[in-house]
Amino acid sequence: MRMAKVTVLASSVLLALLAGTVGAADVSMTPTQDEHKWLLPRTPPSPADNQPTSEREELGKMLFFDPRLSSERNLSCSSCHNPLFGWADGLPTAKGFRSKVLGRASPTVMNSGFTTLQMWDGRRASLEDQAMGPMESQDEMAMNLDALFKWLAVNPAYKAAFDKAYPGEAIGKETTSKAIAAYERTLVSNDSPFDRWLNGDQKAMTPSQVRGFRLFADPAKGNCAACHQAPNFTDGGFHNVGLASYGRTNPDVGRFAIKPLASLKGAFKTPTLRDISLTAPYFHDGSAQTLMEVVEHYNKGGVTKTDLSRDIKPLNLSQQEMQDIVAFMQALTTPAKPVTLPQLPPN
Amino acid sequence: MTNLRYTAGIVLLALVGSVHAGEFVVAQKAKAFSVKKLNIKVGDSVKFVNEDAMVHNVFSLSDAKSFDLGAYGQGASKSVTFDKPGTVEVECAVHPDMKMVVEVAK
């Protein structure tokens, strides 16, 4: 009798072990119905008064790449949002007017049309609202806008482009920001291996990447999707993720400076993770060099605990699990498409 | 019962002398308030229940009522009493797309 019990117990343990082994290796390579919520729409929504047209997008592209929109005619939007660096700049934090080092990293503009509030602290309500900000900032492009609009209005090619894009509307802040926003909405990353996997190509992601996706989304494991939500890997929200820099004297308080609510102390906008492998270093302060460093930060539950979001907790992920999550994030990059530069009007 | 609990607009009348104050329940679920607009009267309170796995906040900076219930997790709830008439825009600070309006009548 005793022998029989031991045998049954041993068999159960063996079965459980086998099941565990099989479960780990045999990750389902097919997306579930619920996982299709991660499919990104083809185009982001546009406001009623700035519906996309090719004329608007072409004008916006000219303005986006034109350094003559800065006071010293050497900085364009693309200086910090550079297609060579995933539409960011590859720097820990941005460099502005005369290379002044600024306080926060340049975020990518890729897929920015899918997010309502713009900037790390959400102080701009739309892409249109954001577009003039760097030109007006004395720390960035430091442009005299009156002089800019006078010049655009007498430049024959720009005048013609504005007339085509926004007939009957004056060349000014509104039309300039609308055109830049219209161009930015053309920058969409939605053809990554992950997207192709969601669309039925089971071989588009490796087993490690599929495991990483499931760990990423599992609230009991990575819990990354609590903030990096479907379909653009952001909830458009603000969280204090416990960076070391928040533990220093007079830290950057982020969203709290815009909305002085206790929950927002040291909180910054959740960035998209699409094309994330192209935009190192990471975090708003550029403090993580690699995606593994980012995952290790979250695995620890953050560094600075003051005002830490209650969604950030130690994760207890194994090294293999962290590697799988990193592998998954590397599957979020859409293959590079050639960027055709605009032909800028002569001076 | 569950449906009743989670449906905004269910008034639990608490009779205190001649004052009729009610408590309404609004859920935070799937990153949205369960109702976009709620009509109540001065003296009524609203209990905000977080039914999401993520942390939410509830606040308003409206003239008729300014409050911040802080951030709280799944299953937790907090109440606020509306003591002046007017339109109160209620939001989640953590998730700015979450918005609703409480109309407080005299």
Side-chain angles (χ1 to χ4, degrees), chain A residues 116-117 219 225-226 229 234-239 255 259-264 309-311, chain B residues 31 53-57 59-61 67-73 91 93-97:
Chain A
T116 311
L117 299 184
Q229 289 179 356
T234 173
D235 57 0
F238 300 88
H239 310 269
R255 180 74 171 156
K259 274 197 186 290
L261 298 162
S263 314
L264 296 174
S309 164
R310 290 173 56 181
D311 283 324
Chain B
K31 246 186 78 183
M54 69 203 78
V55 169
H56 285 306
N57 157 277
F59 83 96
S60 179
L61 300 177
F67 64 93
D68 179 12
L69 300 185
Y72 50 94
E91 298 174 55
V94 182
H95 305 103
D97 292 339

Side-chain angles (χ1 to χ4, degrees), chain A residues 13-26:
Chain A
V13 169
L14 185 63
L15 276 174
L17 283 173
L18 279 173
T21 311
V22 171
D26 187 30

Side-chain angles (χ1 to χ4, degrees), chain A residues 219-243:
Chain A
K221 297 300 287 184
N223 197 30
C224 315
C227 303
H228 294 285
Q229 289 179 356
N232 194 30
F233 290 84
T234 173
D235 57 0
F238 300 88
H239 310 269
N240 182 326
V241 298
L243 299 183

